[in-house]
Amino acid sequence: PRLQRLLLTGAAGGLGKVLRERLAGLAQVLRVSDIAALGEARGAHEEVVPCDLSDKQAVDALLAGCDAIVHLGGVSVERPFEEILEANIKGIFNVYEAARRHGVKRVVFASSNHVIGFYEQTEKLDANVLRRPDGYYGLSKSFGEDMAQFYFDRYGIETVSIRIGSSFPEPLNRRMMSTWLSYDDLTALIEKSLFTPQVGHAVVYGASANKDVWWDNHAAAKLGWTPKDSSEAFRAKVEAQPPVAPTDPNAIYQGGAFTAQGPFGD
Ligand code: NAI
Ligand code: 15L
């Protein structure tokens, strides 16, 4: 293995469960963490460390002894600001502070297409466009990208921020024909993000080689990553679904329905 100890946060989540298996071979020890139940360690190569990302002391202990982090933990959908503040905003600060204190030099940050969710689907974006977050969740990922840039400029901690599209076993609707990222392509992208030298803070889009792409991902090619899968394999199944009205946010905005969620609590 190329790493001594790799930390995977969000390991009990949808992607975390998949990557817990797939990243195991990259490090002598895979430390898996979540606020939700993780079960027992799956052998001598695993350490299970439950942790609330909003707890600064606990996160500091979590990163001790790690040489890299794949940071998936946090709220992954649109929610009231106060929830996002704890898990995502305080969470990402706690992760970078602990990385600085423990000399961790590489982070892979699960950012999201929702940092650019208010662009229309007719627009083609590269990773340098002005961000247009589509909610508190997207704002927290946008803050995470800024945090990554700051900790690189100030402390030399390198990060690849992956603006993940929609990573599920298959595309679930028409929008995801453009945003889908297969688990195989995600795994390969994370591996390149961990091991490509001198990335600084790189921002890339995480989408498979889909036919109708919205993203110019030339920044990802610098990592030596080319997606292999395509949503085309699922087109007939997706197009058998009822049509989406042209006025539906799912048909207009890159961020789809996230653009129309909230306000909360009024
Ligand atoms: P998920 O919601 O299934 O997993 C997130 C995990 O984080 C959960 O297991 C949850 O318990 C944990 N978590 C939440 N709050 C926490 C806290 N305060 N402390 C510690 N752990 C906490 O989400 P999924 O789909 O696995 O996504 C993983 C990451 O990738 C997330 O950061 C998400 O925002 C990002 N992402 C995922 C996309 C996808 O298509 N699956 C698309 C874009 C981004
Ligand atoms: C995300 O950021 C979410 O975490 C995920 O659950 C999906 O909703 C995805 O974006 C998407 O845009 O499809």
Side-chain angles (χ1 to χ4, degrees):
R2 287 189 272 178
L3 296 169
Q4 282 192 328
R5 184 178 282 100
L6 172 63
L7 172 63
L8 176 65
T9 69
L15 298 185
K17 283 194 187 108
V18 173
L19 293 167
R20 183 173 178 173
E21 301 294 329
R22 292 174 175 223
L23 302 183
L26 301 183
Q28 267 167 21
V29 176
L30 182 68
R31 180 176 287 174
V32 293
S33 184
D34 205 293
I35 199 171
L38 289 155
E40 298 291 310
R42 297 184 184 160
H45 74 283
E46 254 198 14
E47 291 172 353
V48 175
V49 183
C51 178
D52 179 346
L53 289 161
S54 68
D55 179 339
K56 189 173 182 186
Q57 272 193 328
V59 174
D60 190 70
L62 179 67
L63 267 76
C66 296
D67 35 14
I69 308 167
V70 175
H71 182 48
L72 306 181
V75 173
S76 65
V77 291
E78 181 63 344
R79 296 291 302 157
F81 179 72
E82 291 76 6
E83 287 178 40
I84 303 273
L85 175 65
E86 293 301 318
N88 294 19
I89 297 182
K90 290 187 188 168
I92 195 80
F93 169 69
N94 291 340
V95 165
Y96 276 99
E97 260 307 275
R100 177 186 69 76
R101 286 166 44 84
H102 293 291
V104 181
K105 287 291 175 211
R106 183 63 62 100
V107 180
V108 179
F109 171 50
S111 184
S112 170
N113 71 86
H114 295 288
V115 302
I116 46 84
F118 260 119
Y119 283 97
E120 296 199 0
Q121 294 177 3
T122 50
E123 294 176 280
K124 188 148 189 185
L125 314 179
D126 69 15
N128 295 318
V129 294
L130 185 73
R131 289 180 294 227
R132 296 176 73 180
D134 59 22
Y136 304 124
Y137 167 70
L139 279 162
S140 76
K141 296 294 186 180
S142 188
F143 178 78
E145 292 186 8
D146 282 341
M147 188 70 88
Q149 184 68 46
F150 170 69
Y151 272 81
F152 174 66
D153 289 334
R154 181 68 178 81
Y155 301 110
I157 298 172
E158 297 195 291
T159 298
V160 178
S161 292
I162 305 176
R163 291 180 180 168
I164 303 172
S166 305
S167 196
F168 298 101
E170 49 187 77
L172 302 173
N173 53 44
R174 285 181 167 77
R175 172 178 163 274
M176 289 190 195
M177 290 301 290
S178 290
T179 58
W180 185 62
L181 174 65
S182 74
Y183 289 159
D184 283 354
D185 285 337
L186 170 67
T187 306
L189 178 53
I190 290 178
E191 199 167 334
K192 294 288 187 190
S193 301
L194 283 169
F195 298 117
T196 304
Q198 295 189 325
V199 292
H201 174 223
V203 179
V204 302
Y205 290 96
S208 284
N210 306 325
K211 184 162 155 269
D212 304 317
V213 285
W214 304 328
W215 303 322
D216 166 356
N217 213 7
H218 68 269
K222 286 191 199 149
L223 298 174
W225 177 75
T226 319
K228 304 272 183 288
D229 293 318
S230 165
S231 60
E232 276 313 291
F234 302 95
R235 183 173 288 280
K237 193 171 168 187
V238 169
E239 289 188 349
Q241 295 176 3
V244 181
T247 51
D248 186 323
N250 274 310
I252 300 172
Y253 295 111
Q254 297 200 1
F258 279 58
T259 60
Q261 281 162 13
F264 297 94
D266 288 354

